[in-house]
């Protein structure tokens, strides 16, 4: 990277500090990555006055021992030199700022909203690969001083030295001695001689050890849009052209062409030199998604969890320099250091993967909204099944709602039918996961040369191992759940803490040999499908089968090429896939999550069913969906089979309002965990008492608990939760912050605060 590039990063908001009064001193306000929730002031010595700036990391002495610690500079200010004696900044870690002023403001907002320290947010926002300079080394770079360039033709030098000096002068950026030798076609000896004569200047900079090469993609032109797509595009373009923030909700059925709207809106953004961020669920980062954006825009940075540290750092640098116009990625891509951002898009905005499960526990949708407001740009939220929070805001007029009720080319939505598993269960001839109607439909589909997708949102082979003689269940010793049988490895595995043992052949309690394996997982379903359809290739996609880098891509490529006729798996196959030859989708157990102790259980079930149903009928052949369920009359199942989001929302929202759940209130969940059940519960009671005292002036507001979490013991720790709800979110968060500000847990007890929780188990 050249010095000019380094100086240009975030140059629109660069700040330079000079002292107007000798009685003033420059100070750096810093925060530490650890849980020290305050800022600290340090004096900037004269030698570092030009280097310390907000967004860079520094080393500063801390505590009585003055041990040097890493910290983030978040502000540079002046104050009277006589005001107080401050310790000096010891050194500057980064050669340029890593965080722009606007990103510092965003992270400060996050620390306040999600009730964590500013330093923790900065550590979470800045990738470890960037903090550790992955894939770089410090190198000696050579350049020709201006005064030497002026008299270049007058210099009397040996031929090789002259050729090397002319090559270096012609280079647009400094070069290492090795690179210069290669360009000039000489050894390093002439270059060494130029150094000794003082004709080149040296500087030490950190450079990348290799450039990340992206595969070339054939460029494609825009598709013709139908009326609904054009209406949606016009709504986005009008906000872009007027230079204002607006949140636009694209409620489009599966296959309605939302992605094409995003692409053409981004093209409009790029036409006036701005950048765009597109956030998609992690599992949707398939070759299909990447290829579609790269085919339109060429240079696209795709950020996902399978990138190496070197690749992640390289992409971050390219984005920050403005050399990448479009950033596509999972939730953390909302922090992409785009200096000229013009548009943010969240596709499948309802997805729970947009919520971070560790500190800082942010939701990418809310962070994107805050960033879009701060930068005065549009935010587009797209989904066939919007979250009820987003839907409610659109109904209240906070967001602009644009409906896309029809599929492209006027293709019909697939016919959806239910299969009552209660009837199938009573039929003694029926054994196994696949009902007779589903088996017949699969036979007909495969005989026509078409493809099938089967959804079962449970991993493993058997989900329950129990002794019929004494009733003992094989459970995880660390967690309050049963172990799942994985037949491929013949293991019994805990899906929470990864505890694993050999699959027992007899009861561990009474040694009865007839121990029973029951319950249905994707491995068992795969075995049954292979037995029933031995002449058709079957492929399983779940987190067990897709662990190696590139495994998703290879699996979907095989399915797209027709090498595989039956694709089965968990929710990772329920969205983002577009295969015209898929004409049948089977939902093996629609009730898996419907009755969980979670107020969002109905919403998640509806979303999953509608999304997986949308994988079929995307070509000219049409499609059909069969849903196996023990509750065919349930309102959620009925709404899903009619593709009727409006009916679902109208039925579910009154329940939420009656119980004071989101979107009619904001929620904070506190989870306490520890090795002693009594001690953990006691500390949870203390937190609940303090919280009730802190919310006395907030009306309405309620505190529930403490109560054992639905999974009471996890990874060897007992868990209790306290839940606070109020329509007044800011006041609620302030009350929680006040209640826990100085609380000290007993030794071994831990606690977390989760604002806007999605995980309730």
């Amino acid at each position: 990277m050249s010095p000019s590039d380094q100086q240009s990063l975030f140059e629109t908001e660069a700040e330079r500090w000079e002292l107007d009064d000798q009685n003033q001193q420059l100070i750096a306000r810093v925060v530490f990555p650890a849980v020290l929730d305050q800022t600290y002031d340090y004096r900037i010595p004269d030698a570092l006055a030009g280097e310390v700036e907000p967004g860079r990391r520094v080393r500063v002495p801390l505590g009585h021992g003055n041990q040097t610690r890493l910290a983030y500079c978040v502000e540079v200010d002046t104050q009277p030199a006589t005001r107080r004696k401050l310790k000096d900044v010891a050194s500057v870690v980064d050669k340029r700022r890593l965080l722009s002023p606007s990103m510092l403001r965003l992270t400060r907002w996050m620390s306040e909203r999600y009730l964590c320290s500013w330093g923790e947010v900065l550590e979470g926002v800045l990738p470890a690969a960037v903090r550790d300079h992955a894939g770089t080394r410090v190198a000696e770079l050579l350049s020709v001083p201006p005064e030497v360039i002026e008299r270049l033709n007058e210099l009397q030098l040996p031929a090789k030295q002259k050729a090397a000096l002319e090559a270096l002068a012609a280079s647009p950026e400094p070069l290492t001695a090795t690179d210069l030798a290669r360009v000039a076609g000489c050894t390093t000896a002439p270059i060494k001689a130029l150094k000794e004569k003082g004709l080149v200047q040296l500087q030490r900079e950190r450079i990348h050890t290799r450039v990340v090469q992206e595969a070339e993609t054939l460029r494609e032109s825009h598709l013709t849009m139908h009326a609904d797509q054009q209406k949606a595009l016009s709504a986005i373009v009008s906000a872009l052209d007027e230079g204002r923030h607006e949140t636009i909700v694209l409620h489009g059925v599966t296959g309605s062409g939302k992605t094409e709207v995003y692409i053409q809106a981004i093209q409009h953004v790029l036409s006036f030199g701005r950048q765009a961020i597109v956030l998609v669920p992690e599992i949707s980062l398939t070759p299909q998604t990447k290829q579609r954006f790269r085919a339109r825009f060429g240079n696209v940075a795709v950020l996902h969890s399978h990138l190496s540290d070197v690749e992640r750092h390289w992409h971050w640098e390219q984005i920050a320099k403005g050399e990448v116009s479009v950033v596509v990625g999972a939730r953390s891509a909302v922090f992409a250091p785009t200096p000229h951002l013009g548009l943010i898009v969240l596709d499948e905005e309802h997805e729970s993967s947009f919520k971070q499960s560790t500190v800082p526990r942010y939701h990418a949708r809310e962070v994107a909204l805050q960033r879009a407001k701060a930068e005065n740009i549009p935010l587009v939220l797209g989904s066939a099944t919007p979250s009820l929070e987003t839907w409610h805001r659109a109904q209240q007029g906070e967001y602009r709602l644009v409906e896309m009720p029809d599929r492209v080319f006027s293709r019909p939505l697939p016919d959806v039918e239910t299969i009552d598993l209660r009837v199938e269960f009573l039929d003694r001839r029926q054994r196994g996961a696949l009902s007779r109607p589903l088996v017949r439909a699969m036979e007909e589909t495969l005989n026509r040369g078409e493809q099938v997708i089967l959804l079962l949102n449970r991993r493993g082979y058997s989900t329950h191992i129990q002794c019929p003689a004494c009733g003992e269940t094989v459970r995880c010793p660390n967690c309050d759940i049963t172990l799942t049988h994985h037949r491929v490895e013949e293991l019994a595995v805990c899906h929470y803490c990864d505890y694993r043992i050999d699959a027992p052949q007899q009861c561990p309690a009474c040694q009865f040999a007839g121990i029973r394996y029951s319950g249905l997982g994707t491995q068992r379903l795969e075995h049954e499908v292979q037995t029933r359809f031995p002449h058709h290739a079957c492929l399983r996609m779940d987190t067990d089968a897709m662990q190696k880098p590139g495994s998703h891509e290879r699996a979907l490529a095989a399915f797209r090429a027709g090498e595989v006729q039956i694709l089965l798996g968990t929710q990772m196959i329920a969205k983002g896939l577009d295969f015209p030859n898929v004409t049948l989708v089977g939902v093996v157990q629609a009730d898996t999550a419907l009755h969980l102790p979670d107020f969002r259980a109905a919403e998640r079930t509806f979303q999953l069913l509608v999304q997986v149903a949308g994988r079929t009928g995307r070509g000219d052949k049409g499609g059909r969906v069969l849903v196996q369920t023990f509750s065919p009359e349930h309102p959620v199942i009925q709404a899903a089979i009619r593709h009727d989001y409006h009916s679902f929302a109208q039925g579910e929202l009154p329940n939420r309002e009656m119980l004071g759940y989101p979107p009619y209130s904001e929620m904070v969940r506190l989870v306490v965990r520890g090795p002693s059940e009594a001690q953990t519960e006691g500390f949870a009671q203390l937190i609940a008492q303090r919280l009730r005292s802190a919310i006395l002036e907030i009306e309405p507001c309620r505190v529930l608990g403490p109560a054992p979490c639905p999974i009471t013991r996890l990874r060897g720790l007992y868990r209790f939760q306290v839940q606070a709800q109020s329509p007044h979110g800011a006041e609620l968060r302030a009350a929680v912050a006040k209640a826990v500000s100085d609380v000290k847990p007993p030794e071994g007890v831990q606690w977390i605060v989760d604002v806007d929780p999605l995980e309730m188990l």
Side-chain angles (χ1 to χ4, degrees):
M1 185 189 301
S2 69
S4 61
D5 283 333
Q6 294 172 23
Q7 293 167 5
S8 69
L9 295 187
F10 317 121
E11 63 184 1
T12 56
E13 298 186 271
E15 301 164 0
R16 291 291 175 264
W17 294 89
E18 296 180 2
L19 287 175
D20 297 325
D21 188 338
Q22 293 303 313
N23 293 322
Q24 298 285 309
Q25 62 180 350
L26 278 178
I27 64 159
R29 196 153 286 132
V30 308
V31 296
F32 292 95
V35 192
L36 298 172
D37 196 12
Q38 63 185 86
T39 58
Y40 295 80
D41 289 351
Y42 288 86
R43 191 182 77 88
I44 302 174
D46 294 342
L48 299 179
E51 296 182 48
V52 179
E53 63 178 337
R56 289 199 202 190
R57 292 174 299 166
V58 295
R59 291 195 177 276
V60 295
L62 182 67
H64 295 299
N66 286 327
Q67 183 178 1
T68 304
R69 297 277 297 274
L70 188 73
Y72 289 86
C73 177
V74 295
E75 185 181 351
V76 173
D77 200 357
T78 61
Q79 63 177 222
T82 57
R83 182 179 169 192
R84 54 178 168 150
K85 178 149 181 75
L86 298 174
K87 297 177 183 179
D88 282 358
V89 173
S91 62
V92 179
V93 175
D94 306 305
K95 292 299 182 183
R96 53 173 174 74
R97 66 171 73 195
L98 302 182
L99 297 154
S100 68
S102 62
M103 190 57 66
L104 287 173
R105 290 191 291 270
L106 181 67
T107 53
R108 181 61 176 167
W109 171 85
M110 287 176 62
S111 73
E112 294 169 353
R113 178 175 179 86
Y114 295 105
L115 304 181
C116 53
S117 74
W118 197 354
E120 288 176 304
V121 177
L122 292 172
E123 286 282 284
V125 163
L126 199 61
V130 176
R131 300 197 305 266
D132 299 338
H133 308 292
T136 67
R137 62 181 175 86
V138 176
E140 190 177 75
L141 298 179
L142 309 176
S143 59
V144 183
E147 60 272 16
V148 175
I149 292 179
E150 291 177 0
R151 55 190 184 92
L152 193 61
N153 295 329
E154 305 169 7
L155 295 173
Q156 300 298 315
L157 296 170
K160 290 187 177 180
Q161 291 182 28
K162 188 174 182 62
L165 190 61
E166 289 176 345
L168 184 58
S171 174
E173 57 185 23
L175 299 173
T176 64
T178 303
D179 289 340
L180 178 56
R182 185 177 65 252
V183 171
C186 65
T187 65
T188 57
I191 299 171
K192 183 178 180 182
L194 291 174
K195 291 183 191 177
E196 293 171 349
K197 293 176 181 179
L199 295 176
V200 296
Q201 64 184 19
L202 282 63
Q203 62 190 70
R204 294 178 67 80
E205 296 288 349
R206 188 171 289 277
I207 64 171
H208 283 274
T209 53
R210 71 180 179 91
V211 174
V212 177
Q213 298 291 341
E214 297 290 352
E216 289 293 324
T217 306
L218 293 175
R219 299 300 293 271
E220 296 177 357
S221 57
H222 287 329
L223 304 177
T224 302
M225 297 201 299
H226 59 70
D228 288 340
Q229 287 177 301
Q230 193 61 56
K231 180 180 66 175
L233 178 62
S234 298
I236 302 170
V237 168
S238 65
L240 289 168
D241 288 346
E242 293 170 20
R244 58 181 168 81
H245 165 71
E246 185 174 22
T247 301
I248 300 164
V249 178
L250 261 58
H251 176 216
V253 298
T254 54
S256 60
K258 294 185 292 294
T259 304
E260 184 64 26
V261 175
Y262 306 152
I263 287 173
Q264 296 203 25
I266 292 169
Q267 189 65 59
H268 191 76
V269 171
L270 269 53
S271 68
F272 45 88
R274 305 295 290 274
Q275 296 165 290
I277 294 175
V278 182
L279 302 180
V280 294
E282 174 74 28
I283 207 60
S284 294
L285 291 178
T286 60
Q288 197 163 285
T289 306
K290 290 186 283 188
Q291 261 182 329
R292 190 157 181 192
F293 280 94
R294 282 188 172 144
R296 300 296 183 87
F297 304 114
N299 190 14
V300 174
V302 181
L303 307 177
H304 54 86
S305 61
H306 288 166
L307 289 180
S308 68
D309 283 349
V310 173
E311 291 170 326
R312 193 177 301 279
H313 187 198
W314 168 258
H315 283 304
W316 193 93
E317 296 274 10
Q318 300 307 301
I319 295 166
K321 288 192 290 185
E323 295 183 2
V324 174
S325 299
V326 183
V327 180
V328 180
R331 62 176 176 266
S332 62
V334 73
F335 306 116
T338 47
H340 311 296
L341 187 60
L343 177 68
I344 304 177
V345 174
L346 260 83
D347 190 29
E348 309 293 0
E349 67 83 30
H350 65 277
E351 271 291 317
S352 60
S353 61
F354 284 128
K355 171 74 170 170
Q356 172 89 352
S357 60
T358 56
V359 176
R361 293 179 172 82
Y362 67 90
H363 197 300
R365 182 181 62 230
E366 302 306 316
V367 175
L369 176 60
Q370 182 67 19
R371 186 172 184 184
K373 285 180 177 178
E375 304 203 23
N376 203 32
I377 61 173
L379 169 66
V380 178
L381 306 176
S383 177
T385 56
S387 65
L388 288 176
E389 288 86 347
T390 293
W391 182 256
H392 181 68
R393 290 178 185 178
Q395 295 299 306
Q396 295 297 307
E398 295 179 45
Y399 299 163
R400 180 175 181 179
L401 178 64
V402 180
E403 299 270 14
M404 299 172 62
D406 298 316
R407 283 186 158 186
V408 294
F409 306 120
S410 299
R411 291 186 179 122
L413 287 165
D415 294 326
V416 185
E417 307 165 38
T418 59
I419 298 171
D420 192 338
L421 290 179
R422 295 170 298 190
V423 175
E424 294 291 317
F425 180 77
L426 293 175
D427 187 340
R428 294 185 178 275
R429 294 171 299 173
Q430 173 57 29
R431 291 291 180 267
L434 303 176
S435 63
R436 286 176 299 162
L438 181 53
V439 170
R440 283 197 301 270
M442 291 176 67
E443 290 171 344
E444 294 167 2
T445 301
L446 295 170
N447 289 338
R448 293 194 301 266
E450 296 161 1
Q451 293 171 297
V452 177
I453 288 179
L454 298 176
L455 171 73
L456 175 62
N457 207 20
R458 280 185 178 172
R459 295 158 49 200
Y461 192 87
S462 301
T463 58
H464 196 70
I465 309 173
Q466 186 172 26
C467 175
C470 71
E472 177 77 9
T473 57
V474 180
R475 306 179 72 83
C476 174
N478 307 313
C479 306
D480 190 25
I481 59 170
T482 58
L483 298 182
T484 299
H485 177 215
H486 286 241
R487 189 172 185 179
V488 176
E489 309 91 340
E490 281 301 332
L491 295 172
V493 180
C494 174
H495 286 168
Y496 283 87
C497 72
D498 205 36
Y499 171 83
R500 50 186 62 203
I501 59 173
D502 292 337
Q505 302 303 309
Q506 59 186 22
C507 174
C510 71
Q511 278 68 56
F512 178 66
I515 193 166
R516 182 182 177 189
Y517 287 76
S518 60
L520 177 64
T522 47
Q523 287 184 2
R524 173 173 279 188
L525 177 62
E526 179 185 33
H527 178 74
E528 181 175 338
V529 169
Q530 289 171 339
T531 302
R532 287 181 179 271
F533 303 96
H535 304 299
H536 297 280
C538 173
L539 178 69
R540 172 169 56 91
M541 284 187 70
D542 55 25
T543 52
D544 299 314
M546 301 288 116
Q547 292 184 347
K548 295 181 180 178
S551 54
H552 288 89
E553 288 86 345
R554 290 189 293 272
L556 295 175
F559 191 59
R560 183 180 297 105
E563 299 168 15
V564 172
Q565 291 79 50
I566 305 171
L567 177 68
L568 67 89
T570 55
Q571 61 182 345
M572 67 172 59
I573 66 169
K575 40 200 164 293
L577 307 183
D578 188 353
F579 300 117
N581 199 39
V582 173
T583 59
L584 176 66
V585 166
V587 180
V588 178
Q589 283 188 356
D591 315 319
T592 302
L594 185 57
H595 304 296
L596 290 176
D598 184 340
F599 72 91
R600 289 191 175 90
E603 181 179 8
R604 286 178 175 150
T605 299
F606 175 82
Q607 289 167 342
L608 186 60
L609 292 178
V610 171
Q611 292 289 340
V612 74
R615 298 314 104 208
T616 185
R618 300 175 79 94
D620 296 330
K621 299 177 181 179
R624 184 184 180 196
V625 183
L626 296 180
V627 178
Q628 297 186 163
T629 172
F630 286 100
S631 312
E633 69 286 344
H634 196 288
V636 168
I637 304 291
Q638 286 296 309
I641 67 175
R642 297 194 306 268
H643 310 278
D644 190 351
Y645 180 86
H646 292 80
S647 173
F648 161 73
Q650 288 169 5
E652 184 68 13
L653 282 172
N655 295 333
R656 298 277 187 94
E657 185 174 20
M658 179 177 64
L659 297 171
Y661 282 125
Y664 297 98
S665 71
E666 294 195 30
M667 182 185 296
V668 179
R669 181 180 185 234
L670 298 96
V671 179
V672 181
R673 55 195 179 204
S676 165
E677 184 174 13
Q679 194 177 48
T680 304
E681 183 178 14
F683 183 66
Q685 288 173 344
L686 172 64
I687 285 183
Q689 291 167 4
R690 293 174 64 112
L691 188 50
R692 287 189 174 94
S693 298
I695 66 166
L696 289 176
E697 298 180 1
I698 305 175
E699 186 63 40
C701 186
R702 66 172 177 170
V703 176
L704 304 176
C709 294
I711 301 177
T712 307
R713 193 161 174 260
L714 198 62
R715 300 180 183 92
L717 300 176
Y718 292 95
R719 305 164 70 240
F720 289 83
Q721 61 183 350
V722 179
Q723 189 173 299
Q725 297 166 223
S726 175
H728 311 294
E731 292 90 335
L732 175 63
R733 292 189 295 273
V736 173
K738 178 183 176 182
V740 301
S741 60
D742 59 349
V743 68
K744 295 290 187 288
E747 186 176 352
V749 174
Q750 308 162 349
W751 58 281
I752 65 166
V753 178
D754 191 2
V755 177
D756 306 328
L758 289 188
E759 176 56 62
M760 303 301 293
L761 299 181

